[in-house]
Amino acid sequence: MSSHVPIAMPPGQPRQDHSELTVPNRLLDVGDLVGGSFRTLRAAPRLFLLLPVLTVIVLAAVALPLMAIAIAAGLFGAREDGGSAAAALLGVVMLAVAALALYVSIRLTGAIIIGAYRVALGERPTMGEAWRESSGIVWRLVALAVLLYALFVAGLVVVVGLLAGLRSANQTLGIITIVVAVPACLVALAYLGVRLSFAFPVIAIEKSGPIAAVRRSLTLTKGHWWSTFGRFALLILLAIPVSGVTSTMTAPLLSSLESSSGAATAAFGIGAALTALVAILLNYLYQIYAYIYHTLMYLDLRRRESLPPVPGYAPPVMAPGYPYEAAPPTSQPYGSQPPTSQPPTSQPYGSQPYGSQSEASGPYGAAPTWGGQPYPDGPATGSPGDLNSGDIGTGDIDPGQRPG
């Protein structure tokens, strides 16, 4: 499915009115990710801010009446049979509400990721379009969660079994092994967490199955573990101002508790409510921002994946200061031909072997060497910066502008 998902806006293609790319058509650096996430959020506020609120309202409108009916039935049934049937009914309703909330949460997250991907490429999907496009990903995500949980449990059982066996054989060796194994397991979990971190975007955008999503995430992060880890670490650091604001607002409230007057109690209650409201709002905005940031990381890795090396072809040497202009080739097309100061119209060996040979052809009927390319069978005539790969997207990226 990945070959049908674009990774850049094709140049010259008309876009909708008032729409524009929120990230440049090239490989993204950290500044592009941070700034592009804000621009993407501002470009479609209804999709990213209003859709989650509407989803929560609809979920509450369905769940609260069901819970109220179940509680009322439980109170009424408690007089008849001691409350056993009522407790069972309430448990079933609570389980159904939890399942519905999980379904809505997964699908909403998928809609935000899909919307972020499309908005970044210049589209402006509506809330309904993003929501409809996220259909079918819930069960794939559930299957992925079950698969990863099963692998985690299996690995945990193996590790615990080995440590228990070593400790029973030699207590000192077992303790040393535990001291070494615990940090090693944490490192392994961090490593696998980064390698598998793009399985959700793969399922949402490429519509892959759980096993294919795991393989795809491993492919995307191959050779990019440290950069991916660093970008995730930056995202975590961006949460510090959020927690700092709420902490600053909480400090005056704690000092007001020292007074037992009624006014102080009322002020504490109002302040606590405002602090909770601000904390919820800031965490809500940060969570949406994190989803967009994660999606742009996925887009960048897909663009990097679209630049495979061409077998048997060495790209021309780039002249300093000119990322899009190739320096002249360092060797002559014929290997032993020395440099000559003759005008371009003269033949390589001083005379034209075949009188009817035209200037456009190479010596001895070979194909012309356009643009200084000495190999007739080399890559296409596009510039070294052309990323318009046939099976990955439809758009051109500027790979010469690589992040520093």
Side-chain angles (χ1 to χ4, degrees), residues 104 153 166 248 254 278 313:
V104 171
V153 172
L166 289 174
T248 303
L254 297 178
V278 171
Y313 170 70

Side-chain angles (χ1 to χ4, degrees), residues 27 30 53 55 73 98 121 155 192 217 229 249 258 261 280 304 348:
L27 304 183
V30 173
V53 174
T55 305
L121 295 182
L192 291 176
S217 183
F229 175 79
M249 296 181 63
E258 299 176 358
S261 63
I280 292 173
R304 295 176 188 274

